[in-house]
Amino acid sequence: MNVSYGLAPHNGTAAATAVAEPSAPARRPVVDACSLVYDDAGWRAYLNRLGENAPEYLDVFSSSFCRYFGASHPAYREALAVRWQDAVDVLLPPGRPPFDLAAHLADRRRQGVTAEFAMGSAERLPDGRTVNTWLLETVREVRDRIHVWAGISLRDPAAALREVEVSLAAGASGLCVIPFLDGTDPADPRFAPVWDAAATAGLPVWLHTGHHFARSHPSGLGSWRTVEALAARHRELLLVAGHAGWPDVRETLLTAARHPGVHLEFSSHRPRHMAGPGSGWEPLLHHARGLARDRVMFGTSTWVNPGPTGPLANELAELPLPEDVVTAWLSGNAEALVARSAGKRRG
């Protein structure tokens, strides 16, 4: 997994990047297919979920977290050596500015981001709401810009199905599943009602695929084989292989070739590294003009590459790719998926 270096740091709010480009040139339209939009309570729920289920992430990505939240890296490392909860407190100290939706949207606009798929979760906030509910309520008036993909946990099949139904009724336009945090196999037949409900409702499912750092769970949770199994059993299900199944990009891409509902997005990875020997992205670039052209989407994962989205998108444009492929990957394919999903829901 490629971690960002060199982009301007910020404190986890859109307002922090607002001063970066007062007269920035026009940018290519971008749809961020993997975005995180939280207030501090939401971020704490997100970080606590990592700490409880995959604390390795708080260690491996310590630099990224500190750059994103504007925290002292030495102080964070010192706290993490004692308790991961103390490290989260370093990232989210009292008195941080509240989340500002208008500032977030303004920053997104400056970066050329016309829409984003905001990943939620079923974690509970101090006020009793889920992160999904907070997100759906917060962006109610701007869902043309922020498409909420409700997060579900697969630890309880019945609870997962209820969360799908509640989130769909509240306006969710997709789902998000991270198998290594649940320690469950999404292809287990127990979850078939969840995927049938998503397929019937036209809700795409973003599935974390490929490498993960949770040592307590096997690496195969959420592999291209998971995508293959789900796509084969649920033919109408729209699936997005998060992080493109890296390092098994070739296998993930070939899975998409077999199933028209499967897409890939490459968030958490820097485009500028893709052309390097041994990057693992050679199959994507090799098939860019053919198989991969209409199945690949750009994403950021927000904190993994902490900095303005525009320069990150420009890195893709600097790869040896035709302009039509760059346009398709940055926005066209995501827009087509939104339209396809909306069409299924209307139908």
Side-chain angles (χ1 to χ4, degrees):
M1 185 174 291
N2 296 319
V3 182
S4 166
Y5 293 94
L7 292 180
H10 59 89
N11 68 355
T13 66
T17 58
V19 298
E21 297 173 89
S23 57
R27 296 189 181 278
R28 293 176 173 82
V30 172
V31 176
D32 187 346
C34 182
S35 171
L36 301 176
V37 180
Y38 301 141
D39 64 359
D40 273 18
W43 276 117
R44 188 171 289 276
Y46 176 87
L47 294 167
N48 285 349
R49 190 181 181 199
L50 285 178
E52 292 165 359
N53 300 287
E56 297 83 2
Y57 276 78
L58 299 179
D59 179 20
V60 172
F61 291 101
S62 64
S63 295
S64 291
F65 280 127
C66 288
R67 285 196 299 274
Y68 182 77
F69 289 103
S72 164
H73 192 234
Y76 176 90
R77 296 298 310 180
E78 182 179 353
L80 187 62
V82 179
R83 291 196 322 154
W84 65 258
Q85 293 91 338
D86 295 337
V88 171
D89 289 339
V90 172
L91 299 178
L92 298 169
R96 278 170 44 87
F99 174 72
D100 186 332
L101 179 61
H104 173 82
L105 291 171
D107 176 69
R108 301 267 81 188
R109 191 176 296 112
R110 274 188 295 274
Q111 301 304 320
V113 178
T114 58
E116 56 194 304
F117 302 163
M119 306 299 168
S121 84
E123 299 297 301
R124 292 284 173 181
L125 299 171
D127 64 8
R129 292 180 295 174
T130 66
V131 173
N132 291 331
T133 299
W134 175 88
L135 187 54
L136 285 160
E137 291 175 352
T138 299
V139 307
R140 181 183 291 114
E141 303 303 320
V142 291
R143 288 184 187 164
D144 60 326
R145 297 278 306 280
I146 300 178
H147 303 265
V148 177
W149 288 37
I152 60 174
S153 169
L154 296 182
R155 290 183 172 175
D156 181 337
L161 184 57
R162 285 195 300 272
E163 190 65 28
V164 171
E165 294 167 345
V166 169
S167 298
L168 175 62
S173 52
L175 301 175
C176 167
V177 178
I178 306 177
F180 72 81
L181 290 180
D182 297 330
T184 54
D185 179 3
D188 189 310
R190 292 181 301 148
F191 305 119
V194 175
W195 311 132
D196 286 340
T200 299
L203 292 177
V205 178
W206 184 96
L207 181 71
H208 185 286
T209 61
H211 180 68
H212 67 78
F213 290 95
R215 293 193 296 269
S216 58
H217 298 306
S219 60
L221 284 180
S223 71
W224 65 270
R225 291 182 175 85
T226 307
V227 177
E228 167 67 35
L230 291 176
R233 294 177 196 165
H234 307 275
R235 297 297 179 89
E236 299 301 313
L237 184 62
L238 300 174
L239 283 165
V240 177
H243 315 322
W246 186 91
D248 299 322
V249 176
R250 175 180 289 105
E251 289 79 2
T252 309
L253 192 58
L254 291 175
T255 300
R258 289 166 43 80
H259 302 286
V262 173
H263 300 73
L264 291 71
E265 68 84 23
F266 52 80
S267 63
S268 296
H269 296 265
R270 292 287 295 264
R272 74 181 186 188
H273 298 306
M274 288 182 173
S279 72
W281 294 100
E282 295 92 340
L284 199 70
L285 300 182
H286 179 77
H287 294 285
R289 294 164 178 81
L291 168 60
R293 186 194 180 281
D294 298 322
R295 299 294 190 88
V296 174
M297 298 182 292
F298 171 88
T300 65
S301 292
T302 301
W303 60 266
V304 179
N305 292 300
T309 301
L312 200 62
N314 288 344
E315 290 183 9
L316 181 66
E318 291 165 2
L319 292 175
L321 296 169
E323 185 64 26
D324 65 308
V325 172
V326 172
T327 299
W329 289 8
L330 285 179
S331 60
N333 293 341
E335 290 168 351
L337 179 61
V338 168
R340 182 177 176 183
S341 171
K344 289 175 69 71
R345 291 200 296 276
R346 286 194 298 269

